[in-house]
Amino acid sequence: MADLRTNLAGITSPNPFWLASAPPTNSGYQVQRAFEAGWGGAVWKTLGEPIINTSARFAAISFQGKKVAGFNNIELITDRPLDVNLKEIYETKKRFPHHAIIASLMVEPKQEKWHEIVKRVEDVGVDGLELNFGCPHGMAERGMGAASGQQPDLVQAQTTWAKEVAKTPVIVKLTPNITDITVTARAAVNGGADAISMINTINSLMGVDLDSWQTVPSVAGKGAHGGYCGPAVKPIALNMVAECARHPAIAVPISGIGGVGTWQDAVEFMLMGATGVQVCTAAMHHGFSIVEDMIDGLNNYLEEKGLASVSELIGKSVANYSEWGNLDLNYRTVASINTDVCIHCNKCHIACEDTSHQCIERKIALDGTPFLHVREEDCVGCNLCSIVCPEPGAIDMITLPYEQPPMTWNERQTVLATYKGK
Amino acid sequence: MTKSKNLRSLVNVSDNFREVECGLTDVEASDEANRCLYCYDAPCITACPTSINIPSFIKSIATTNVKGAAKTIMTANPIGASCARVCPTEELCEGACVLNHSSKPILIGKLQRYATDWAMKRNEPLFKAGEPNGRSVAIVGSGPAGLSAARELARFGYKVTIYEAKSEAGGLNTYGIVSFRLPPYVSLWEAQQVKALGVTIKTNTAVGKDIAASELMKQYDAVVIACGMSHVPMLGIEGETLSGVHDAIRFVEQTKTEPLSSYVGKKVAVIGAGNTAIDAATCAMRLGADSVKILYRRTVEEMTAYHFEYEFAKQEGVEFRFLTSPQKIIANERGEVKELECVRMTLGEPDAKGRKAPVAVAGSEFTMDVDIVIKAIGQTRHHALIEAFGLEHHHGVVAIDQHTLQTSVANVFACGDVIFGDGQGEAMVVSAAQQGKVVANSIHQRLASRQVTTH
């Protein structure tokens, strides 16, 4: 068994799988069930002034018959009194001393409010704090959540206020509803954050009912934007994690959130710089037991790769992520169709013909059997054919030998500038 | 309710004639539709004799545009609801599905049924008749080929009259395919769709008896012969006229038109091993027969029934006796069938068509106890009718131009089983549907071009 223990800015947990601050971590009952199921940590549903929620809160989109490709919610932070939550946190921590319990916090952007709540939650023995600067709906209209998370100065100030009194590590949870997440990430770091977590949910309207013409979900005939999450947001989250991980001024651990539902997702986030991951939608879709395969699959993967500890994954792919200007313009890859594997659906042909570079020809062999042929000289190596191909192994993207030495756009511009200079 | 091992009711045999296959539920249809790859120039379309745009109708099901799916199907195939149930899909569309090479083929037939069932249930008109063009066409027979030709001609604006000898439209689909595969309401709905375009179907009107062939040729601008085939021929053995000897076509027809008679306790022998023999044998099982044996003088290799029909029959409990030929039907004292004398066969040299000729094994005669003998050794031809129109034919198979399906008589066209045989054509329902379309197009081209020249 590989060592799955993680340490995020001093917060330790038996494995990198935490439940994110969300409906699954609403109560001690739920968090204790999660720990029994195998989750390594839980970020408690955000504490603050108890709110009033609407009825009809969630919605999801299906993609070609598959449920919950994306998920959205208009639920706010905890609707239970702070002392009830604190009592349950205390009891849960006592039962599970080695699991990570992090309190998610959201209060008005005032120094005394932050001081007060930090002290109160730390008194019951949490392992860390997560400042919720990301909730995009409802709370944002009251100047909290994403509203404060979209202003770098407020992010920095509030982080500073929390850090002034915090004894446990402070994680700042960032909103993706912003042009450049590294700006707010740096603000958090400047405010003294011990770690950052991302992404919170993305502004979304899930749909419109074709019969009633009401929004989905609809609350008594009215809708409001919610926060989008689930499998569909993973690429957005992964990019934001990677952008922060490779930023030289953001040298704090990252807790990766956004569409994580499997051990493979977790590995990708960790390779891109996350120390651990947080999960919500997948648990809401399938229940807490999904963590079993996450743990097992991750362990098998590590063993197969000959890695003793999951921490060896952290950031290993970050150096492979850069700007477009640093990509090699002289690298060439082309599609190669394996006729013996091809099942002749012609999806590659029509994709290339209609929407790419018209280089996959339909031909007939001497024995009369149809086959597909890539005109390599016209293939730009876009990958589209191999993306739409339903049969594994039918299309390989193969690397061609260099005809010109490697050169990036940035290098090219530098060379051109030299010539101009002369 | 008493049920035997294959869940037949022996008390209420009509229960056994309910449709065997269930339709897909909405969820099943959605799952299956979403599995379709939406191939480009899909081989399933090529494999369909009527060239239904299968990926397109499946995509429509996936987007819940079921009406669009039904229209796509019925546009290409006017009897698409029947074909959804009776097509040998594993030999056609599903057999060509590229997913055969990868996982499992898409259940195209069942998806087609899902869409056409929807259309039947909603009973929304899918098509409109064309602007009347002043020309008229008579069609002899309202089976798959005749209905298909009529639907297309009506859309072109022709005034179409179908002459049908039986009391209901639909031909083979209404009378000849077992109810538990194809309930009569399906083909009757298809006929209703055609009638809704203004086509007149004169039932109980036999051409050659109630109206002369020459009269049709005189009254109409074109005539379509889609009369199919006739009864089962004589075996030519002793005892063939005894009580208890039936014609398979007539036997199946009775199960679809008359109160079902129980076969509980009966031992049945079916002679022949084509799809009609399977139909008769499975009907007999479902009527409660004690045992049903299919006797065939060749082997499983040569039998003409589809493989899935053979499998179905075995599951139904039908027994197969290959290399067995009936010699004599023996009566009891009341003149009813009592025994069947048979002889064992062996396969000799291939005949002209390459099929090995069965040869009797001398001295191998034996008898089996039977109460019912059902003959299913092919169908005779409507010779008199064909000759009344003066059409060239080979042993009752009407000679046609392969492309236009025009007969030897200028404005007479033929389609369906009447042109099947003698090495020509296909006996499938779906082929008849396609031929009906071809005939309609040929007539339209011929008459439209004549219109141009006369103006």
Side-chain angles (χ1 to χ4, degrees), chain A residues 81-136:
Chain A
L82 183 60
D83 52 348
V84 173
N85 277 304
L86 293 179
K87 182 167 165 282
E88 291 177 13
I89 290 172
Y90 173 78
E91 287 162 358
T92 306
K93 189 64 206 173
K94 217 163 89 177
R95 254 195 85 196
F96 295 92
H98 302 298
H99 288 65
I101 298 182
I102 293 91
S104 171
L105 306 176
M106 184 193 291
V107 290
E108 286 172 63
K110 290 178 182 158
Q111 188 179 27
E112 65 275 15
K113 294 274 184 191
W114 281 104
H115 284 184
E116 184 195 339
I117 196 152
V118 168
K119 285 178 191 162
R120 287 196 66 185
V121 298
E122 286 196 335
D123 277 351
V124 295
V126 296
D127 299 296
L129 309 171
E130 186 182 76
L131 314 187
N132 180 346
F133 296 158
C135 207

Side-chain angles (χ1 to χ4, degrees), chain B residues 210-244:
Chain B
D210 301 310
I211 182 167
S214 56
E215 196 60 29
L216 293 190
M217 300 217 277
K218 199 160 33 168
Q219 279 183 22
Y220 295 89
D221 295 305
V223 178
V224 178
I225 310 295
C227 59
M229 290 191 273
S230 187
H231 54 80
V232 177
M234 297 300 276
L235 289 165
I237 62 173
E238 195 181 312
E240 214 169 334
T241 54
L242 291 171
S243 155

Side-chain angles (χ1 to χ4, degrees), chain B residues 144-208:
Chain B
L147 281 182
S148 174
R151 209 285 305 269
E152 290 300 88
L153 287 165
R155 290 181 72 201
F156 290 145
Y158 290 85
K159 183 172 165 38
V160 181
T161 307
I162 303 181
Y163 292 88
E164 171 56 58
K166 296 213 182 279
S167 59
E168 298 282 2
L172 179 88
N173 286 356
T174 301
Y175 292 99
I177 297 175
V178 292
S179 299
F180 45 88
R181 277 246 188 275
L182 181 62
Y185 72 84
V186 179
S187 52
L188 294 178
W189 174 76
E190 288 164 341
Q192 191 51 47
Q193 295 301 296
V194 175
K195 277 198 247 180
L197 301 184
V199 171
T200 305
I201 304 183
K202 293 194 174 189
T203 51
N204 295 314
T205 309
V207 177

